[in-house]
Amino acid sequence: MTLAPPSSRVQLTDDGKLRHFLSVEHLSRPLLEDILDTAAGFVDVGGRAIKKVPLLRGKTVVNLFFESSTRTRSTFELAAKRLSADVLTLDIAKSATSKGETLLDTLRNLEAMAADMFVVRHQDSGAPFFIAEQVTPRVAVINAGDGRHAHPTQAMLDMYTIRHYKGGFEGLKVAIVGDILHSRVARSQIHALNILGAEEVRVIAPRTLLPADADALGATVFTDMVQGIEDVDVVIMLRLQRERMDSALLPSEGEFFRLYGLTNEKLGHAKPDAIVMHPGPINRGVEIASEVADGPRSVILNQVTFGIAVRMAVMSMAISGQESLDAAQEDDHGH
Amino acid sequence: MDTKANLLIRKGRVIDPASGRDDVADLLVEGGRLVRVGASLDAPGAEIMEAEGLWVIPGLVDSCVHLSLPGEGPWAGDVASECRAAAGGGITHMAVQPDCGPVDSTAVVRLIREQAGQANFARALPVAALTQGLAGEHLAEMQTLAQAGCIAVGQAGAPLADSLTLKRCLEYAATFDLLVLFRPEDASLTAGGCAHDGAVAARLGLPGIPAVAESVALSRDLLLVEATGVRAHFQQISSRHSLALIREAKRRGLPVTADVSIHHLLLDESALEGFNSHCHVMPPLRTARDRQALLDAVADGTLDAICSKHQPLGSFSKAAPFPSTRPGISGLDTLLPLVLKLVREEALPLHRALDAVTAAPARCLGIPAGQLETGRMANLTVVAPDEQRVMSERWLSGGRNSPWFNTLLPGSVRRTVCNGEVSWLAG
């Protein structure tokens, strides 16, 4: 007996529609392409005089941020508002749990507000899976980043960016550079690139910033930046947290920049038309030189614009998946 | 009132790993004492139990259970409720780890014995704390605790980081020839982790606990055992790298034994897929290769015993995202069924598997139990080895935290006799 992998069982309806968006892993290529195509339809909304479409009118979206975030939270908020939803943002890092309320108690309280969607960021890997299993069936859960595990909307906006500039994924070589060990973004990007048919995904980092069994991530592992970046079409730089020096993972920002920081010189080893990406916020002079961040190959700012469209796509698809479940249930009761 | 059993168990398959006996025979208990095992016994006035098709084996000895006193911490159940669960699982003796209380005063020892005694289902044998409050700073009154009935000393899940303190603890324990239990773990290598540092943790983004967290500590502990000459039992070996160290220690004649928890013989890191918090245990489930190496080590005797590593938890302990859940599996209900499952799947040979939950752990702990010895108070279990049952339909432990809670497992215990008294009778 072969069961569908747990992650896809939870996040898809029986007929394969998205009802939660928790992880890219185990999703199909057509579904990911559907997300990108749907997002394409939303990119223009931001350019209109009235920046709204009515797809989520009458729906309530609750942003549950157990870990603080400015950027991701505000793009989700904006995405929900452009879909005409009512939006409530709770910075739980500073409220309920610090008063000793358990995550389950918090959820029960929020359900009582008749929310239709939870957008969740949590410091524990797997938290959105736990929440999706616990919430009433009508609530869609979107993962806005869990521990080191996944950040699927960030990965999909990166895929949108790559497709926008490269036309597709066939034959592409992509290098992801930096703190792979702690990066939920890298894990989701690797899954997405492999599913969408990239030729090769590489990760580049010193051994202290790679997980044990890094091969299991689905990428080729390099510890040398110049070798790893050779001939790639896309370079994705990851943010380096200051704490890494305190926990003896790196000697200094200076040495990291010298060995793994992206400079024009190192970028010279990539393909001449290679693009440079970064999920932000960037640390100039730590993982990326200003000359690259502000240079002609950088597409970092466009990533932000696409981020809103991709989040609108995922939110509208999950709500429609939930609605198809409700319709099916009503059918069952009718017969 | 005399509650000692007068019981004739007829035509069961009597398996006693200690003596090598395995044949169909009758077994007679008089006044609680096992008096005879043989063909066509007769006993006027004794209760007769027909055991055709059933196995009669020694009462199981569980070398590691974590229990709590009433109202203590996050635990479900207490000494009394879990003794009953043990009886229903065919277990007659269990080593209660020193984190119950903790066991650092004779008052706690008395309390545990009293609670267990009132329940009268299984012998709860306390292990004394090596250090006061398990805090790793001051020696506990080990000899006083041993004289009060503790069978060994140990640190439960709080291994000593400071090597000098550990050396002094071992020297003091060796003075009185006390058995020391070790759960080898280097706290600095474990810190913050919740899963084996391998392929699954890499993908799921779970902070890892490397195999060397165990083997680094085990190396140090073995060197200190050798230096102090103390008798040692190592608990819940989880990694294949540790096995070579245990083998080498035994080969050199050190007074060392070891056990493994039953769940490490059945599950590996892949059980964590989907963030299944019922598989969050310490030490963590390791790779498929480790699991096979552990099975091989049980088969060849490198690992002497299999324990339940029973940790009954309240439901709230698992109602959180994986890294925030409390590790542990409630194991008394499933120890014998899972051992039988391994035997059915030919992962372990029958006699060695039963030895590893009866005579071998009794030998490791230095207690007179785990065998069908005539002339002694009877400790035995009658089990229907092939009868499958849904575990949740008769779950006795206060903790339901088990990946096997709703599954079908072989081996239904029909009757348990503990210290000459019937402690469990299937309804």
Side-chain angles (χ1 to χ4, degrees):
Chain A
M1 182 176 65
T2 49
L3 285 172
S7 56
S8 58
R9 275 205 304 277
V10 180
Q11 55 186 345
L12 299 181
T13 63
D14 287 342
D15 54 350
K17 286 194 188 120
L18 205 63
R19 57 181 293 222
H20 303 299
F21 192 47
L22 309 176
S23 164
V24 173
E25 194 179 6
H26 305 306
L27 294 182
S28 69
R29 181 168 177 168
L31 182 61
L32 296 195
E33 284 170 345
D34 194 12
I35 293 173
L36 298 180
D37 294 341
T38 308
F42 288 129
V43 169
D44 297 339
V45 174
R48 291 188 205 157
I50 297 173
K51 299 184 179 63
K52 279 205 191 236
V53 289
L55 289 171
L56 262 60
R57 179 173 290 159
K59 303 285 182 189
T60 304
V61 174
V62 179
N63 281 330
L64 286 174
F65 279 65
F66 294 87
E67 191 183 78
S68 53
S69 144
T70 311
R71 230 174 241 248
T72 305
R73 198 188 62 190
S74 45
T75 54
F76 266 109
E77 229 177 87
L78 209 51
K81 284 177 178 163
R82 286 192 183 164
L83 290 166
S84 313
D86 296 316
V87 186
L88 176 67
T89 294
L90 295 173
D91 202 348
I92 299 180
K94 297 185 189 108
S95 64
T97 44
S98 58
K99 291 176 193 155
E101 190 178 58
T102 71
L103 175 54
L104 268 187
D105 292 332
T106 308
L107 286 179
R108 295 286 168 262
N109 272 302
L110 293 170
E111 274 173 4
M113 299 178 189
D116 299 284
M117 175 177 286
F118 288 156
V119 176
V120 180
R121 167 166 290 194
H122 199 285
Q123 59 278 10
D124 279 345
S125 297
F129 283 81
F130 173 74
I131 291 170
E133 282 163 10
Q134 297 293 331
V135 289
T136 57
R138 280 162 196 278
V139 181
V141 178
I142 308 289
N143 184 359
D146 62 325
R148 306 175 183 179
H149 171 242
H151 195 348
T153 58
Q154 175 69 42
M156 289 313 293
L157 81 86
D158 295 332
M159 296 310 109
Y160 190 95
T161 310
I162 292 172
R163 194 173 77 163
H164 179 83
Y165 287 98
K166 294 288 165 191
F169 298 88
E170 303 298 335
L172 283 193
K173 290 182 184 152
V174 181
I176 306 171
V177 188
D179 188 358
I180 308 294
L181 175 64
H182 299 91
S183 179
R184 51 191 172 216
V185 175
R187 283 178 178 78
S188 288
Q189 286 167 338
I190 295 168
H191 288 308
L193 287 163
N194 284 325
I195 293 166
L196 288 165
E199 184 181 309
E200 189 186 4
V201 187
R202 302 175 180 180
V203 293
I204 307 173
R207 290 276 300 271
T208 48
L209 297 182
L210 287 167
D213 286 311
D215 296 339
L217 297 178
T220 319
V221 179
F222 287 84
T223 52
D224 183 280
M225 176 79 161
V226 171
Q227 282 173 20
I229 208 171
E230 193 69 45
D231 210 28
V232 300
D233 302 274
V234 179
V235 184
I236 302 175
M237 300 305 298
L238 299 172
R239 180 179 167 77
L240 186 79
Q241 309 279 350
R242 292 271 154 91
E243 302 96 83
R244 305 307 171 223
M245 264 59 74
D246 300 333
S247 45
L249 290 163
L250 290 176
S252 66
E253 290 181 348
E255 177 154 310
F256 182 78
F257 182 68
R258 196 171 65 74
L259 298 172
Y260 297 98
L262 189 61
T263 55
N264 274 338
E265 191 196 336
K266 291 197 191 103
L267 188 56
H269 293 268
K271 287 228 178 93
D273 61 346
I275 55 168
V276 175
M277 298 168 57
H278 190 301
I282 62 172
N283 284 322
R284 290 167 189 269
V286 179
E287 70 264 355
I288 191 164
S290 285
E291 59 184 20
V292 180
D294 306 327
R297 320 271 279 278
S298 165
V299 298
I300 296 170
L301 287 178
N302 301 60
Q303 285 175 260
V304 181
T305 322
F306 297 147
I308 297 166
V310 165
R311 282 164 183 139
M312 288 171 76
V314 170
M315 291 169 117
S316 61
M317 286 168 72
I319 285 287
S320 118
Q322 291 287 346
E323 280 174 346
S324 77
L325 277 182
D326 293 348
Q329 271 170 6
E330 273 160 34
D331 261 17
D332 283 352
H333 292 304
H335 293 290
Chain B
M1 186 182 101
D2 187 13
T3 54
K4 297 296 179 191
N6 290 303
L7 176 66
L8 176 61
I9 302 171
R10 290 179 49 179
K11 294 196 172 111
R13 179 177 168 189
V14 179
I15 310 174
D16 181 28
S19 65
R21 176 169 204 140
D22 182 355
D23 60 359
V24 172
D26 295 355
L27 192 142
L28 179 62
V29 177
E30 273 179 1
R33 224 165 270 283
L34 176 59
V35 292
R36 279 184 73 188
V37 184
S40 310
L41 300 183
D42 198 23
E47 180 194 348
I48 292 179
M49 177 181 188
E50 298 294 348
E52 235 175 301
L54 306 180
W55 292 0
V56 184
I57 60 176
L60 270 59
V61 178
D62 191 340
S63 57
C64 184
V65 302
H66 294 267
L67 302 184
S68 59
L69 297 170
E72 209 185 11
W75 304 98
D78 53 32
V79 175
S81 75
E82 301 312 287
C83 281
R84 179 164 176 266
I91 296 161
T92 54
H93 296 73
M94 49 189 185
V96 178
Q97 298 304 298
D99 54 354
C100 178
V103 187
D104 64 355
S105 69
T106 51
V108 173
V109 176
R110 264 202 308 278
L111 200 54
I112 292 172
R113 291 168 70 90
E114 212 169 86
Q115 290 256 319
Q118 277 168 7
N120 220 4
F121 289 114
R123 305 289 300 276
L125 308 165
V127 174
L130 200 57
T131 58
Q132 289 173 32
L134 295 172
E137 287 166 8
H138 303 286
L139 300 192
E141 295 175 343
M142 316 179 195
Q143 176 63 351
T144 304
L145 292 163
Q147 285 168 345
C150 290
I151 57 165
V153 291
Q155 277 290 110
L160 283 175
D162 186 89
S163 299
L164 177 61
T165 308
L166 177 58
K167 178 168 171 285
R168 288 178 174 158
C169 285
L170 300 186
E171 286 166 347
Y172 194 76
T175 308
F176 304 101
D177 193 28
L178 303 178
L179 171 70
V180 179
L181 306 189
F182 289 83
R183 156 90 279 282
E185 183 185 313
D186 182 314
S188 68
L189 288 168
T190 303
C194 64
H196 171 63
D197 199 16
V200 174
R203 271 194 21 260
L204 296 182
L206 294 172
I209 300 171
V212 289
E214 180 172 284
S215 45
V216 163
L218 178 59
S219 303
R220 177 196 69 165
D221 294 349
L222 283 169
L223 291 169
L224 287 171
V225 165
E226 184 170 21
T228 58
V230 80
R231 290 188 293 128
H233 175 69
F234 288 90
Q235 300 178 289
Q236 291 101 53
I237 297 302
S238 69
S239 143
R240 64 183 188 278
H241 304 291
S242 302
L243 296 171
L245 296 168
I246 302 263
R247 276 195 190 102
E248 173 64 11
K250 287 186 165 186
R251 197 189 58 75
R252 292 198 293 124
L254 294 186
V256 164
T257 55
D259 68 37
V260 60
S261 76
I262 184 71
H263 42 263
H264 282 92
L265 297 177
L266 281 126
L267 302 173
D268 60 45
E269 58 181 346
S270 65
L272 270 54
E273 290 291 349
F275 299 98
N276 182 357
S277 62
H278 282 308
C279 296
H280 181 194
V281 289
M282 284 291 282
L285 299 172
R286 301 208 183 267
T287 66
R289 226 178 124 194
D290 288 298
R291 183 173 89 93
Q292 187 54 54
L294 293 171
L295 283 166
D296 294 344
V298 172
D300 72 19
T302 303
L303 294 174
D304 302 84
I306 303 172
C307 68
S308 71
K309 180 74 178 170
H310 179 63
Q311 290 178 289
L313 296 169
S315 58
F316 55 87
S317 294
K318 293 291 186 184
F322 188 99
S324 295
T325 56
R326 188 171 281 272
I329 289 178
S330 173
L332 291 175
D333 285 86
T334 52
L335 178 61
L336 180 55
L338 291 173
V339 166
L340 294 174
K341 180 177 159 70
L342 288 173
V343 170
R344 279 163 71 107
E345 291 168 357
E346 298 183 353
L348 281 178
L350 168 64
H351 290 145
R352 177 75 263 272
L354 289 180
D355 180 50
V357 287
T358 56
R363 207 170 50 240
C364 295
L365 298 171
I367 57 171
Q371 48 182 306
L372 300 173
E373 201 181 348
T374 52
R376 285 188 178 277
M377 279 299 167
N379 287 291
L380 59 86
T381 295
V382 184
V383 61
D386 298 319
E387 193 175 295
Q388 304 250 356
R389 65 185 183 87
V390 179
M391 294 311 295
S392 51
E393 285 171 4
R394 193 195 79 203
W395 191 272
L396 298 171
S397 167
R400 298 177 157 203
N401 50 305
S402 165
W404 294 284
F405 181 70
N406 264 321
T407 64
L408 199 65
L409 290 179
S412 180
V413 173
R414 296 294 178 79
R415 188 189 290 254
T416 307
V417 177
C418 175
N419 197 31
E421 297 181 27
V422 175
S423 58
W424 171 258
L425 187 58

Short mmCIF file of all heavy atoms in Angstrom, two decimals, chain A residues 249-284:
data_model
loop_
_atom_site.label_atom_id
_atom_site.label_comp_id
_atom_site.label_asym_id
_atom_site.label_seq_id
_atom_site.Cartn_x
_atom_site.Cartn_y
_atom_site.Cartn_z
N LEU A 249 29.44 29.16 14.62
CA LEU A 249 29.28 28.55 13.30
C LEU A 249 30.21 29.21 12.27
O LEU A 249 30.55 28.60 11.27
CB LEU A 249 27.82 28.65 12.84
CG LEU A 249 26.86 27.77 13.64
CD1 LEU A 249 25.42 28.22 13.43
CD2 LEU A 249 27.01 26.31 13.26
N LEU A 250 30.57 30.46 12.54
CA LEU A 250 31.45 31.21 11.64
C LEU A 250 32.42 32.04 12.48
O LEU A 250 32.06 32.47 13.57
CB LEU A 250 30.63 32.17 10.77
CG LEU A 250 29.74 31.59 9.68
CD1 LEU A 250 28.97 32.73 9.04
CD2 LEU A 250 30.54 30.83 8.64
N PRO A 251 33.61 32.29 11.95
CA PRO A 251 34.53 33.14 12.71
C PRO A 251 34.16 34.62 12.67
O PRO A 251 34.17 35.30 13.68
CB PRO A 251 35.89 32.91 12.03
CG PRO A 251 35.60 32.30 10.70
CD PRO A 251 34.24 31.66 10.78
N SER A 252 33.81 35.13 11.48
CA SER A 252 33.51 36.57 11.39
C SER A 252 32.73 36.86 10.11
O SER A 252 32.74 36.08 9.17
CB SER A 252 34.80 37.39 11.36
OG SER A 252 35.51 37.10 10.15
N GLU A 253 32.05 38.01 10.10
CA GLU A 253 31.37 38.45 8.88
C GLU A 253 32.39 38.68 7.77
O GLU A 253 32.14 38.38 6.61
CB GLU A 253 30.60 39.74 9.15
CG GLU A 253 29.39 39.55 10.04
CD GLU A 253 28.62 40.84 10.27
OE1 GLU A 253 29.15 41.93 9.94
OE2 GLU A 253 27.49 40.76 10.78
N GLY A 254 33.55 39.19 8.17
CA GLY A 254 34.58 39.50 7.18
C GLY A 254 35.04 38.26 6.43
O GLY A 254 35.12 38.27 5.19
N GLU A 255 35.33 37.19 7.17
CA GLU A 255 35.78 35.98 6.49
C GLU A 255 34.66 35.38 5.64
O GLU A 255 34.90 34.88 4.54
CB GLU A 255 36.31 34.94 7.48
CG GLU A 255 36.72 33.64 6.78
CD GLU A 255 37.78 32.85 7.51
OE1 GLU A 255 38.81 33.44 7.89
OE2 GLU A 255 37.57 31.64 7.70
N PHE A 256 33.43 35.45 6.16
CA PHE A 256 32.31 34.93 5.38
C PHE A 256 32.18 35.69 4.06
O PHE A 256 32.02 35.10 2.99
CB PHE A 256 31.00 35.02 6.16
CG PHE A 256 29.82 34.45 5.41
CD1 PHE A 256 29.63 33.07 5.34
CD2 PHE A 256 28.92 35.27 4.75
CE1 PHE A 256 28.56 32.54 4.63
CE2 PHE A 256 27.85 34.74 4.03
CZ PHE A 256 27.67 33.36 3.98
N PHE A 257 32.27 37.02 4.15
CA PHE A 257 32.14 37.82 2.93
C PHE A 257 33.26 37.49 1.94
O PHE A 257 33.03 37.36 0.74
CB PHE A 257 32.16 39.32 3.27
CG PHE A 257 31.99 40.19 2.05
CD1 PHE A 257 30.78 40.21 1.36
CD2 PHE A 257 33.03 40.97 1.58
CE1 PHE A 257 30.62 41.00 0.23
CE2 PHE A 257 32.88 41.76 0.44
CZ PHE A 257 31.67 41.78 -0.23
N ARG A 258 34.48 37.34 2.47
CA ARG A 258 35.61 37.06 1.59
C ARG A 258 35.42 35.72 0.87
O ARG A 258 35.71 35.59 -0.32
CB ARG A 258 36.90 37.03 2.42
CG ARG A 258 38.18 37.13 1.60
CD ARG A 258 39.39 37.32 2.51
NE ARG A 258 39.65 36.18 3.37
CZ ARG A 258 40.17 35.02 2.94
NH1 ARG A 258 40.49 34.87 1.68
NH2 ARG A 258 40.36 34.03 3.78
N LEU A 259 34.87 34.73 1.56
CA LEU A 259 34.77 33.38 0.98
C LEU A 259 33.44 33.14 0.25
O LEU A 259 33.40 32.43 -0.74
CB LEU A 259 34.95 32.33 2.08
CG LEU A 259 36.32 32.36 2.77
CD1 LEU A 259 36.33 31.41 3.96
CD2 LEU A 259 37.43 32.00 1.79
N TYR A 260 32.35 33.71 0.78
CA TYR A 260 31.02 33.38 0.23
C TYR A 260 30.20 34.61 -0.17
O TYR A 260 29.10 34.47 -0.68
CB TYR A 260 30.23 32.54 1.24
CG TYR A 260 30.89 31.22 1.53
CD1 TYR A 260 31.70 31.05 2.66
CD2 TYR A 260 30.74 30.14 0.67
CE1 TYR A 260 32.33 29.84 2.92
CE2 TYR A 260 31.37 28.92 0.91
CZ TYR A 260 32.17 28.78 2.05
OH TYR A 260 32.79 27.58 2.29
N GLY A 261 30.70 35.81 0.10
CA GLY A 261 29.95 37.00 -0.27
C GLY A 261 29.96 37.17 -1.79
O GLY A 261 30.95 36.84 -2.45
N LEU A 262 28.83 37.67 -2.33
CA LEU A 262 28.76 37.81 -3.79
C LEU A 262 29.31 39.17 -4.22
O LEU A 262 28.76 40.22 -3.87
CB LEU A 262 27.32 37.63 -4.27
CG LEU A 262 27.15 37.53 -5.79
CD1 LEU A 262 27.90 36.32 -6.36
CD2 LEU A 262 25.68 37.44 -6.18
N THR A 263 30.39 39.11 -4.99
CA THR A 263 31.01 40.32 -5.55
C THR A 263 30.92 40.20 -7.08
O THR A 263 30.63 39.12 -7.60
CB THR A 263 32.50 40.38 -5.17
OG1 THR A 263 33.11 39.16 -5.61
CG2 THR A 263 32.67 40.51 -3.67
N ASN A 264 31.19 41.30 -7.76
CA ASN A 264 31.18 41.25 -9.23
C ASN A 264 32.20 40.24 -9.73
O ASN A 264 31.98 39.55 -10.73
CB ASN A 264 31.48 42.63 -9.81
CG ASN A 264 30.20 43.46 -9.92
OD1 ASN A 264 29.10 42.90 -9.96
ND2 ASN A 264 30.35 44.78 -9.96
N GLU A 265 33.32 40.14 -8.99
CA GLU A 265 34.37 39.22 -9.41
C GLU A 265 33.88 37.77 -9.39
O GLU A 265 34.02 37.03 -10.35
CB GLU A 265 35.58 39.40 -8.50
CG GLU A 265 36.82 38.68 -9.02
CD GLU A 265 37.87 38.53 -7.92
OE1 GLU A 265 37.87 39.34 -6.97
OE2 GLU A 265 38.68 37.60 -8.03
N LYS A 266 33.24 37.40 -8.26
CA LYS A 266 32.73 36.01 -8.17
C LYS A 266 31.60 35.79 -9.18
O LYS A 266 31.50 34.74 -9.80
CB LYS A 266 32.25 35.72 -6.75
CG LYS A 266 33.37 35.65 -5.73
CD LYS A 266 32.91 34.97 -4.45
CE LYS A 266 33.90 35.12 -3.31
NZ LYS A 266 33.51 36.13 -2.31
N LEU A 267 30.78 36.83 -9.33
CA LEU A 267 29.65 36.72 -10.26
C LEU A 267 30.14 36.48 -11.69
O LEU A 267 29.44 35.90 -12.52
CB LEU A 267 28.78 37.98 -10.18
CG LEU A 267 27.45 37.98 -10.93
CD1 LEU A 267 26.57 36.80 -10.50
CD2 LEU A 267 26.70 39.28 -10.68
N GLY A 268 31.38 36.90 -11.96
CA GLY A 268 31.97 36.69 -13.27
C GLY A 268 32.06 35.22 -13.66
O GLY A 268 32.16 34.89 -14.85
N HIS A 269 32.01 34.32 -12.67
CA HIS A 269 32.08 32.88 -12.98
C HIS A 269 30.72 32.32 -13.41
O HIS A 269 30.66 31.22 -13.96
CB HIS A 269 32.61 32.11 -11.78
CG HIS A 269 34.04 32.43 -11.46
ND1 HIS A 269 35.08 31.71 -11.99
CD2 HIS A 269 34.60 33.40 -10.70
CE1 HIS A 269 36.22 32.21 -11.55
NE2 HIS A 269 35.95 33.25 -10.77
N ALA A 270 29.65 33.05 -13.12
CA ALA A 270 28.32 32.60 -13.54
C ALA A 270 28.13 32.91 -15.02
O ALA A 270 28.98 33.55 -15.65
CB ALA A 270 27.26 33.29 -12.70
N LYS A 271 27.00 32.47 -15.59
CA LYS A 271 26.71 32.79 -16.99
C LYS A 271 26.65 34.31 -17.14
O LYS A 271 26.26 35.02 -16.20
CB LYS A 271 25.36 32.19 -17.39
CG LYS A 271 25.39 30.67 -17.55
CD LYS A 271 24.72 30.23 -18.86
CE LYS A 271 24.79 28.72 -19.02
NZ LYS A 271 23.59 28.04 -18.48
N PRO A 272 26.97 34.85 -18.33
CA PRO A 272 26.97 36.31 -18.52
C PRO A 272 25.60 36.93 -18.26
O PRO A 272 25.51 38.07 -17.82
CB PRO A 272 27.37 36.48 -19.98
CG PRO A 272 27.96 35.17 -20.41
CD PRO A 272 27.42 34.11 -19.52
N ASP A 273 24.53 36.17 -18.49
CA ASP A 273 23.20 36.74 -18.28
C ASP A 273 22.56 36.24 -16.99
O ASP A 273 21.34 36.28 -16.82
CB ASP A 273 22.30 36.41 -19.48
CG ASP A 273 22.11 34.91 -19.65
OD1 ASP A 273 22.90 34.13 -19.02
OD2 ASP A 273 21.19 34.50 -20.38
N ALA A 274 23.38 35.80 -16.06
CA ALA A 274 22.84 35.28 -14.80
C ALA A 274 22.16 36.40 -14.01
O ALA A 274 22.61 37.55 -14.03
CB ALA A 274 23.96 34.67 -13.96
N ILE A 275 21.06 36.05 -13.33
CA ILE A 275 20.40 37.04 -12.46
C ILE A 275 20.73 36.74 -11.01
O ILE A 275 21.07 35.62 -10.65
CB ILE A 275 18.86 37.06 -12.66
CG1 ILE A 275 18.26 35.66 -12.44
CG2 ILE A 275 18.50 37.61 -14.03
CD1 ILE A 275 16.74 35.66 -12.32
N VAL A 276 20.64 37.81 -10.18
CA VAL A 276 20.96 37.69 -8.76
C VAL A 276 19.70 37.98 -7.95
O VAL A 276 19.03 38.99 -8.16
CB VAL A 276 22.07 38.68 -8.37
CG1 VAL A 276 22.31 38.64 -6.86
CG2 VAL A 276 23.34 38.38 -9.14
N MET A 277 19.40 37.04 -7.02
CA MET A 277 18.20 37.20 -6.20
C MET A 277 18.56 37.13 -4.72
O MET A 277 19.62 36.64 -4.34
CB MET A 277 17.19 36.09 -6.54
CG MET A 277 16.73 36.15 -7.98
SD MET A 277 15.82 34.68 -8.53
CE MET A 277 14.50 34.61 -7.38
N HIS A 278 17.65 37.61 -3.88
CA HIS A 278 17.86 37.61 -2.43
C HIS A 278 16.48 37.78 -1.80
O HIS A 278 15.74 38.67 -2.21
CB HIS A 278 18.79 38.77 -2.04
CG HIS A 278 19.26 38.72 -0.62
ND1 HIS A 278 18.40 38.74 0.45
CD2 HIS A 278 20.51 38.66 -0.08
CE1 HIS A 278 19.11 38.68 1.58
NE2 HIS A 278 20.38 38.62 1.28
N PRO A 279 16.11 36.94 -0.82
CA PRO A 279 14.76 37.08 -0.23
C PRO A 279 14.62 38.33 0.63
O PRO A 279 13.50 38.69 1.01
CB PRO A 279 14.60 35.81 0.61
CG PRO A 279 15.99 35.34 0.89
CD PRO A 279 16.84 35.81 -0.25
N GLY A 280 15.75 38.99 0.98
CA GLY A 280 15.69 40.21 1.77
C GLY A 280 15.40 39.91 3.23
O GLY A 280 14.95 38.83 3.55
N PRO A 281 15.64 40.84 4.12
CA PRO A 281 16.40 42.07 3.87
C PRO A 281 17.90 41.78 3.74
O PRO A 281 18.40 40.90 4.41
CB PRO A 281 16.12 42.93 5.10
CG PRO A 281 15.62 42.00 6.16
CD PRO A 281 15.15 40.74 5.50
N ILE A 282 18.56 42.53 2.86
CA ILE A 282 19.96 42.20 2.56
C ILE A 282 20.91 42.80 3.59
O ILE A 282 20.62 43.83 4.20
CB ILE A 282 20.37 42.66 1.14
CG1 ILE A 282 20.27 44.18 0.98
CG2 ILE A 282 19.54 41.97 0.08
CD1 ILE A 282 20.85 44.68 -0.34
N ASN A 283 22.04 42.12 3.79
CA ASN A 283 23.15 42.64 4.60
C ASN A 283 24.26 43.03 3.63
O ASN A 283 25.01 42.16 3.18
CB ASN A 283 23.72 41.56 5.51
CG ASN A 283 22.86 41.26 6.71
OD1 ASN A 283 22.27 42.16 7.30
ND2 ASN A 283 22.79 39.99 7.08
N ARG A 284 24.36 44.31 3.32
CA ARG A 284 25.41 44.73 2.40
C ARG A 284 26.79 44.48 3.02
O ARG A 284 26.99 44.76 4.19
CB ARG A 284 25.27 46.22 2.07
CG ARG A 284 24.06 46.51 1.21
CD ARG A 284 23.75 48.00 1.18
NE ARG A 284 22.47 48.22 0.51
CZ ARG A 284 22.35 48.42 -0.80
NH1 ARG A 284 23.42 48.45 -1.58
NH2 ARG A 284 21.15 48.60 -1.33
#
